[in-house]
Amino acid sequence: MTKDFLAVSDLSVYEFHRVLDLALEVKAKPRRYRNALEGKVLAMIFEKPSLRTRMTFEVGMLQLGGEAVYLSPSDIQMGKRETPADIAHNLERWTDGIMIRTFAHSIAVELAAAARIPVINALTDLLHPCQALADFLTLKEKKGGLSALKLAYIGDGNNVCHSLINAAARAGTRMAVATPKGYEPSAEIVERAREEGRETGFAVDVVRDPAEAVSGADAVYTDVWASMGQESEKQKRARLFARYRVTAALMAKAKPGAVFMHCLPAHRGEEVTAEVLDSPASVVFDQAENRLHAQKAIMLILMGKTK
Ligand code: CP
Ligand code: NVA
């Protein structure tokens, strides 16, 4: 596997399934891995807020016998106090891995290129690969396999949507993405996923109509309409995205037994109604739990010796 985990598309089809299988094993037998990263330290760079990502990386390192050090936005001031490369050359002298949540994806790429130690992308404006791993782990648990499924994504063609497309291309999961005009996922990511997903049976339709996207879907996924860093566009987006809210009526148009997914945090009454979020179909807290297991698998592979 590559030194870093910056994108799900860094993984081959084999590696993608290996990570999910290891995550399932770590979840089933956590005690077996409690010393696996003994003495190892993960530096966690956060330039944006977080609940799940911070908790799951920190708890994950503790449960693997290692430690994590949290660096807040005001500590590092990436690019203002010093360059990503200089930060990398410092951190690699003291720690065994770096996790970064930042704005421009190029910052994570620059950090990884300079660092001798593994760098894990914990969300950039472009991608959220750890989220997609946890989500496909959740789908695998809930639905058995991945290759016969259809995943509908409704709303903003953002970082989470991009990583889901990359993961679906590896898993052979069909996708339909419904967005307002101008908010489609990156054409480059869609095209590359189509090319790379040819061998797995992946396909993706990018459409306008949410009802068309959810038709026949085994899972319906949404995310916030304004991501971190887009707060000033909140009102404009709320107007444009109004018909993309996931409601009980929209869920009823999916396949019977379809699950509802969201990376969280959710804005109740905006991209999803409280009724859907709190319904028996909702697997959002399973997704949140699986962040822990998926990231433990990634850290074991990149920072330790895996069995
Ligand atoms: N889903 C997710 O990444 O949550 P946080 O922003 O709270 O880390
Ligand atoms: N798209 C959201 C995901 C949060 C986990 C954001 O970037 O803010």
Side-chain angles (χ1 to χ4, degrees):
M1 204 159 126
T2 51
K3 172 179 78 72
D4 309 297
F5 180 58
L6 298 181
V8 178
S9 52
D10 288 350
L11 307 175
S12 66
V13 171
Y14 171 80
E15 288 166 343
F16 174 79
H17 288 290
R18 182 172 158 232
V19 173
L20 295 193
D21 289 343
L22 181 59
L24 285 174
E25 156 136 348
V26 171
K27 184 173 182 175
K29 301 182 192 118
R31 291 173 66 84
R32 222 168 124 182
Y33 294 89
R34 67 183 164 176
N35 298 317
L37 294 186
E38 195 178 353
K40 305 259 179 175
V41 178
L42 177 75
M44 305 192 297
I45 302 175
F46 280 93
E47 298 209 287
K48 293 178 178 177
S50 169
L51 169 64
R52 280 146 293 273
T53 304
R54 175 171 180 190
M55 282 303 294
T56 51
F57 271 105
E58 189 157 344
V59 170
M61 277 306 281
L62 291 176
Q63 291 180 347
L64 295 171
E67 288 187 51
V69 178
Y70 172 74
L71 295 157
S72 77
S74 57
D75 288 329
I76 292 219
Q77 298 172 44
M78 180 80 66
K80 284 194 206 99
R81 268 187 102 231
E82 54 200 313
T83 63
D86 284 347
I87 291 166
H89 295 318
N90 280 268
L91 291 176
E92 70 192 9
R93 300 293 178 112
W94 313 311
T95 71
D96 305 281
I98 304 170
M99 182 235 83
I100 179 165
R101 166 168 287 196
T102 189
F103 292 87
H105 188 70
S106 57
I107 291 179
V109 172
E110 220 178 302
L111 190 79
R116 287 195 309 247
I117 55 178
V119 173
I120 301 171
N121 176 1
L123 183 146
T124 63
D125 290 343
L126 187 70
L127 298 172
H128 196 0
C130 295
Q131 182 68 51
L133 287 182
D135 298 338
F136 275 73
L137 185 63
T138 308
L139 277 174
K140 195 173 157 116
E141 287 178 325
K142 300 288 171 193
K143 300 283 176 188
L146 294 171
S147 60
L149 301 181
K150 176 181 173 184
L151 169 64
Y153 180 94
I154 310 298
D156 187 20
N158 61 15
N159 45 9
V160 169
C161 179
H162 290 155
S163 287
L164 289 173
I165 290 170
N166 285 339
R170 296 293 176 269
T173 303
R174 278 187 306 133
M175 275 188 80
V177 179
T179 75
K181 193 165 166 25
Y183 295 87
E184 299 87 358
S186 142
E188 197 184 319
I189 288 178
V190 169
E191 273 322 305
R192 202 174 139 199
R194 280 186 179 136
E195 258 167 53
E196 294 182 351
R198 229 175 259 148
E199 52 170 316
T200 63
F202 164 78
V204 57
D205 292 321
V206 181
V207 301
R208 286 280 162 265
D209 181 15
E212 182 186 340
V214 304
S215 168
D218 300 276
V220 177
Y221 200 120
T222 192
D223 185 13
V224 290
W225 292 337
S227 284
M228 293 182 275
Q230 298 172 333
E231 289 78 8
S232 65
E233 297 173 36
K234 208 170 170 352
Q235 286 184 345
K236 177 184 158 204
R237 284 170 172 262
R239 276 196 310 277
L240 288 170
F241 283 80
R243 67 181 270 244
Y244 292 86
R245 177 170 301 124
V246 178
T247 61
L250 188 67
M251 285 302 292
K253 295 190 167 117
K255 205 187 258 184
V259 294
F260 170 73
M261 304 182 80
H262 194 307
C263 56
L264 304 178
H267 295 149
R268 290 166 179 267
E270 288 181 35
E271 73 274 5
V272 58
T273 61
E275 185 188 6
V276 170
L277 193 68
D278 298 330
S279 70
S282 173
V283 297
V284 299
F285 300 115
D286 297 303
Q287 293 171 256
E289 181 188 334
N290 280 338
R291 291 291 302 279
L292 176 67
H293 310 298
Q295 289 158 201
K296 281 166 86 172
I298 283 289
M299 292 192 290
L300 282 166
I301 293 169
L302 296 184
M303 294 169 65
K305 291 182 277 228
T306 53
K307 291 198 186 81

